[in-house]
Amino acid sequence: TKMEELIQSITGEGGRLIANWGPRVLGALATLIIGTWVIRMVMRGIEKMLGTKHVDETLRPFIRTLILFGLYAMLFITVAGMVGIETTSFVAILGAAGLAIGLALQGSLQNLAGGVMILLFRPFKVGDLIESGEGLGFVKEISVFVTFLETFQNKTVIIPNSVLASGTVTNYSTIGNVRADIPFAIRYDADADKAAEIVLNVLKQSDKVLTSPAPSVYVTELGENAVKMVALPYTTVEDYWDVFWGLRGEIKKALGAAGYEPALPQRIVTMKK
């Protein structure tokens, strides 16, 4: 009968579909399950590696997300290919989407790349005193996109990481101490050796000046109106400004108490008879 023929046709077609697609679907499901398990194992290993390599905590979530997205994208394309879906279109779509996102976020991606370089190569770290074209201050936070500086005036400066990664940065904290050059001057008729002894004594009496490296005082220039000298005390980064500004007043007091007059401009006037 026609009903029997219809049932046989449906059964035969179903059998052919199962024969053609059954192994593919089962293989895809098995690949999906095994692939998911493998990805979990890989991510556990990466998590341990990030911990042992002392990768910055700010960078860890970004690395995890990037690797996880890449692994799942590869698994999805593999499973899609196993069930007969054309994967070339997926690759083209992903490529086009990546290009569009890259063009739209070009500046942000530059900051992202700069942040990754800073966090990986660590030219400076949180707490360091650094100076760039954007200012001088202590590093308070390094994020993936920007770095936060706290200046000596308690101002917060937010600098894009691309600027720090591509520009010149001076790190005052790398060695652990910094020299605070303090210039001063005396008159030509004054005793330079005695002045150097007085100023050196001021430096040695300060508890903010380090004994190693030892402070020193030198004559730097024979100026038009004065002998120019400089005091060279070493101090910690935290005490830099206290030494740089604070000891100037102490040096002035000590020289004044010893009878040194200010090195004012002088002119010799001769009278013709």
Side-chain angles (χ1 to χ4, degrees):
T1 64
K2 293 183 178 181
M3 181 61 68
E4 291 177 347
E5 292 177 355
L6 179 62
I7 292 174
Q8 291 177 355
S9 176
I10 293 174
T11 304
E13 186 67 24
R16 285 192 295 272
L17 289 174
I18 293 174
N20 291 332
W21 289 95
R24 296 184 182 182
V25 173
L26 291 176
L29 287 175
T31 301
L32 182 62
I33 294 172
I34 296 173
T36 302
W37 178 81
V38 170
I39 290 175
R40 290 178 180 174
M41 295 297 102
V42 170
M43 293 307 298
R44 288 179 183 176
I46 291 174
E47 186 69 31
K48 292 181 180 179
M49 182 189 69
L50 293 177
T52 56
K53 295 297 183 181
H54 304 290
V55 178
D56 194 278
E57 293 183 1
T58 307
L59 188 59
R60 291 180 189 178
F62 170 73
I63 295 178
R64 285 196 298 264
T65 302
L66 185 64
I67 295 176
L68 186 63
F69 175 80
L71 292 175
Y72 271 113
M74 292 172 59
L75 178 61
F76 175 77
I77 293 174
T78 301
V79 171
M82 293 181 66
V83 296
I85 300 176
E86 183 62 41
T87 58
T88 306
S89 58
F90 286 108
V91 176
I93 292 173
L94 289 175
L99 179 61
I101 294 173
L103 292 174
L105 301 175
Q106 186 175 4
S108 297
L109 290 177
Q110 289 178 349
N111 291 330
L112 174 62
V116 171
M117 291 179 61
I118 291 172
L119 293 170
L120 284 178
F121 296 105
R122 304 182 71 83
F124 54 83
K125 61 183 183 300
V126 173
D128 285 357
L129 176 65
I130 67 170
E131 182 179 11
S132 70
E134 306 302 315
L136 169 69
F138 291 97
V139 179
K140 302 304 293 183
E141 180 182 348
I142 305 173
S143 70
V144 177
F145 292 98
V146 296
T147 294
F148 296 86
L149 295 187
E150 184 179 281
T151 69
F152 288 94
Q153 296 80 28
N154 287 334
K155 299 177 182 178
T156 299
V157 181
I158 303 173
I159 306 176
N161 284 333
S162 60
V163 174
L164 295 176
S166 60
T168 301
V169 177
T170 302
N171 190 338
Y172 291 92
S173 301
T174 301
I175 298 177
N177 59 66
V178 62
R179 197 180 72 190
D181 298 5
I182 304 174
F184 64 98
I186 60 174
R187 297 174 60 167
Y188 266 99
D189 57 355
D191 188 340
D193 293 335
K194 183 64 176 178
E197 182 181 344
I198 293 171
V199 173
L200 187 60
N201 188 51
V202 172
L203 302 183
K204 291 181 178 180
Q205 288 181 350
S206 174
D207 58 356
K208 295 183 182 298
V209 174
L210 301 177
T211 57
S212 180
S216 55
V217 181
Y218 295 101
V219 173
T220 59
E221 184 182 349
L222 302 179
E224 182 179 353
N225 299 300
V227 177
K228 296 182 180 180
M229 305 181 70
V230 63
L232 304 176
Y234 287 86
T235 184
T236 63
V237 172
E238 291 75 16
D239 292 334
Y240 176 80
W241 289 114
D242 290 335
V243 172
F244 184 77
W245 294 118
L247 290 187
R248 290 173 182 249
E250 298 300 321
I251 290 174
K252 176 184 178 301
K253 291 178 182 178
L255 291 176
Y260 283 82
E261 298 180 358
L264 301 175
Q266 301 177 27
R267 293 291 184 270
I268 298 176
V269 180
T270 59
M271 301 293 293
K272 291 185 178 180
K273 296 181 179 180

